[in-house]
Amino acid sequence: MAHVEINGGPASVEAVHRVATWNYGHFTSMQVRQRAVAGLALHLHRLRDGSRELFPERAAPSERTIVELVRHALGDQKDASVRVTVVPAGSDPEGVDVMVSVSEPAPDAAGAPLRVRTVTYERELPHLKHVATLGLTYHYLAARAAGFDDALFVARDGRISEGSVWNVAFWDGERVIWPDAPQLTGITMQVLRLGLKKLGIPDEQRTLTAASLPGMRAAAAANSRCPAQPIATIGETTLPDSAEFAALLREAWRAMPWDDL
């Protein structure tokens, strides 16, 4: 059962309607396990930076306030999916409202390897996790209708960037490679890179295009719901080692401690 609070109180129909109608804000999504979060500080920094960019004239909530609001919305729950959304305040022209949504925890087990297709698309303000999600949802649904599982975005200059709601990691047989292109630097991606460094596994960001794909042995999608979802094919390119690569990424994920709320 979903539970929604705004600024620590019950979310009224009027408040939720205002948020949906205004449709201007940013958010972060996280999985909570035993009241701990992977990369909690990174989530808080994302919210801070998003508020500074989208609401430069408004006072942003402190990181401590965000954590207190998440704790309050969780109540007695130890495991949950949590989304924190920051929007302009309805009653205060100099403030913001913080909406915390709590729902059932998402299983992080990988599903069957994905078949994805590439599509030329660039999100607006790609470095922000903002609420303007129509374009990415459209391309995800279009890929599904065409018989694929998801879409991998390619910028207008030909650079591979990110998936619909995930970052993509590649394996060339020697190192982990992340696309160097305008994209959202996902929290899971950041945690994985820290874990890879801890394990001594080389990784880097590199410009990748469609011409780079035949040289890759594996690929995986990474987001807050699943840190390592194998990708079987991208278009006509088969990635034979994706299951083994996903196992490697999961090892890096497990190498990093979770932060108590």
Side-chain angles (χ1 to χ4, degrees):
M1 180 68 70
H3 172 65
V4 182
E5 294 184 354
I6 296 180
N7 300 331
S12 66
V13 173
E14 292 79 7
V16 173
H17 178 265
R18 179 179 59 78
V19 171
T21 302
W22 185 231
N23 199 33
Y24 184 82
H26 63 95
F27 68 99
T28 196
S29 296
M30 62 188 77
Q31 291 296 312
V32 178
R33 297 292 184 271
Q34 295 299 305
R35 299 185 75 83
V37 176
L40 177 60
L42 299 172
H43 283 286
L44 297 174
H45 293 166
R46 166 187 278 174
L47 294 172
R48 176 201 63 198
D49 294 344
S51 291
R52 287 176 176 173
E53 183 159 351
L54 293 183
F55 316 121
E57 305 302 325
R58 294 173 180 261
S62 69
E63 295 181 358
R64 182 171 184 174
T65 296
I66 294 290
V67 171
E68 290 174 349
L69 292 173
V70 171
R71 286 175 182 159
H72 189 273
L74 281 170
D76 295 331
Q77 288 183 254
K78 294 183 178 180
D79 299 339
S81 298
V82 173
R83 170 169 164 159
V84 181
T85 306
V86 183
V87 297
S91 57
D92 181 2
E94 297 182 353
V96 297
D97 286 338
V98 180
M99 182 168 68
V100 181
S101 306
V102 178
S103 58
E104 293 298 315
D108 69 356
L114 301 178
R115 295 175 58 252
V116 306
R117 71 173 184 179
T118 57
V119 58
T120 300
Y121 177 67
E122 298 175 12
R123 292 188 306 110
E124 294 178 331
L125 303 175
H127 60 289
L128 295 178
K129 193 173 181 71
H130 51 71
V131 299
T133 59
L134 184 148
L136 62 88
T137 303
Y138 171 82
H139 286 296
Y140 164 74
L141 293 175
R144 300 278 295 182
F148 294 87
D149 297 306
D150 213 324
L152 176 64
F153 300 148
V154 178
R156 283 168 289 184
D157 63 5
R159 288 184 292 169
I160 293 171
S161 57
E162 59 188 350
S164 61
V165 291
W166 38 272
N167 289 111
V168 62
F170 292 94
W171 177 254
D172 67 356
E174 296 181 354
R175 67 189 64 241
V176 179
I177 302 169
W178 308 87
D180 183 8
Q183 62 179 298
L184 179 71
T185 304
I187 304 302
T188 300
M189 171 184 170
Q190 295 179 64
V191 173
L192 285 172
R193 297 198 72 179
L194 292 171
L196 290 168
K197 183 177 181 180
K198 189 173 182 178
L199 296 177
I201 299 169
D203 83 313
E204 65 181 36
Q205 282 191 282
R206 184 192 303 172
T207 297
L208 299 173
T209 66
S212 308
L213 295 178
M216 297 300 165
R217 299 293 306 167
N223 64 14
S224 64
R225 287 179 171 264
C226 181
Q229 166 61 51
I231 298 175
T233 60
I234 300 176
E236 299 298 320
T237 301
T238 299
L239 301 155
D241 298 338
S242 289
E244 294 83 353
F245 178 48
L248 174 67
L249 291 179
R250 281 191 174 272
E251 184 179 354
W253 179 253
R254 291 192 295 267
M256 298 302 297
W258 286 41
D259 307 307
D260 292 330
L261 282 166

